[in-house]
Amino acid sequence: GAGVSQTPSNKVTEKGKYVELRCDPISGHTALYWYRQSLGQGPEFLIYFQGTGAADDSGLPNDRFFAVRPEGSVSTLKIQRTERGDSAVYLCASSLMSRDSTDTQYFGPGTRLTVL
Amino acid sequence: DAKTTQPNSMESNEEEPVHLPCNHSTISGTDYIHWYRQLPSQGPEYVIHGLTSNVNNRMASLAIAEDRKSSTLILHRATLRDAAVYYCILRDGYGGSQGNLIFGKGTKLSVKP
């Protein structure tokens, strides 16, 4: 079956530009998460959606970062006025939002963003 | 979610068992212990989780100390494909474990042929 997919796999942009990163979750998964991973570090939480609404956006570093999920499926992470420090791998995950102890998150392969 | 402590790196020989430790001395009564791993150039993947009793699945076993302040992920026969960063994560299971995962730096496992 299809897993979580992310596009593009690599994105190179110039400082100050706007970028959009896309995530296609597993069909039927109501929860969607965005994480950012810098070299040598574990993934760092950015934002979490339940359906169409952002349930927790406390991890977004500043107002240059924004994410949407208008129909409760595909999500787009948007970064305005990119800075070199935004360079990282951006990971998306989805889960069923089951209320048991598991709620396994399934991750995509990530988008590697490089800001020159 | 409470904090976990893991060694930065470990080495293993192929076909031998591997024991990956995790300390979580401030674990609460409703925290589940989850393990994820991240293969090179991939997103993390779920390995196993448990609360109090030891757990086994097709990928690994999880041994949980009686006081729950530590746990050990056991790979019974390491293969080259098991070379990855392994993350030990606590999740509050009250009402269901939901919300974001809090990753540390994990343990980078190297497997020698």
Side-chain angles (χ1 to χ4, degrees), chain A residues 45-113:
Chain A
F45 168 71
L46 295 176
I47 186 169
Y48 150 48
F49 287 89
Q50 285 186 27
T52 60
D56 183 354
D57 64 358
S58 62
L60 295 177
N62 51 59
D63 61 5
R64 295 187 298 106
F65 288 74
F66 189 70
V68 295
R69 195 185 184 200
E71 297 178 357
S73 177
V74 170
S75 176
T76 304
L77 178 66
K78 308 180 181 195
I79 310 174
Q80 299 177 322
R81 304 182 305 279
T82 51
E83 300 177 356
R84 293 194 180 88
D86 298 335
S87 297
V89 175
Y90 288 81
L91 294 161
C92 175
S94 69
S95 74
L96 271 173
M97 281 293 292
S98 59
R99 294 194 69 80
D100 63 17
S101 65
T102 307
D103 194 40
T104 299
Q105 293 188 17
Y106 297 85
F107 284 78
T111 293
R112 181 175 297 278
L113 175 66

Side-chain angles (χ1 to χ4, degrees), chain B residues 3 15 23 25 68-69 76 82 93:
Chain B
K3 187 175 177 180
E15 309 268 316
N23 288 320
S25 59
R68 300 208 327 123
K69 294 186 176 181
H76 295 285
D82 291 322

Side-chain angles (χ1 to χ4, degrees), chain B residues 3 5 15 21 25 39 44 46-47 54 57-59 61 67 70 75-77 83-84 91 93 95 97 104:
Chain B
K3 187 175 177 180
T5 305
E15 309 268 316
S25 59
L39 302 172
Y46 168 81
V47 177
N54 294 345
N57 67 20
R58 64 174 181 80
M59 289 181 73
S61 295
D67 64 4
S70 66
L75 307 179
H76 295 285
R77 288 181 63 205
R91 301 193 78 191
S97 289

Side-chain angles (χ1 to χ4, degrees), chain B:
Chain B
D1 292 327
K3 187 175 177 180
T4 63
T5 305
Q6 299 177 253
N8 290 334
S9 62
M10 290 185 66
E11 274 193 355
S12 171
N13 294 316
E14 198 176 11
E15 309 268 316
E16 291 185 357
V18 182
H19 290 231
L20 297 164
C22 180
N23 288 320
H24 28 78
S25 59
T26 58
I27 191 170
S28 74
T30 55
D31 283 335
Y32 282 77
I33 303 156
H34 289 245
W35 284 80
Y36 279 71
R37 73 179 186 181
Q38 187 171 21
L39 302 172
S41 301
Q42 296 188 25
E45 64 174 349
Y46 168 81
V47 177
I48 199 167
H49 80 287
L51 182 63
T52 56
S53 303
N54 294 345
V55 183
N56 300 295
N57 67 20
R58 64 174 181 80
M59 289 181 73
S61 295
L62 177 60
I64 301 172
E66 196 170 334
D67 64 4
R68 300 208 327 123
K69 294 186 176 181
S70 66
S71 61
T72 302
L73 179 70
I74 302 166
L75 307 179
H76 295 285
R77 288 181 63 205
T79 69
L80 296 178
R81 286 196 69 254
D82 291 322
V85 178
Y86 287 78
Y87 298 99
C88 171
I89 299 166
L90 300 184
R91 301 193 78 191
D92 186 356
Y94 181 75
S97 289
Q98 297 165 14
N100 59 290
L101 298 169
I102 300 175
F103 291 85
K105 289 189 176 182
T107 296
K108 183 174 183 178
L109 175 66
S110 302
V111 180
K112 296 182 290 184

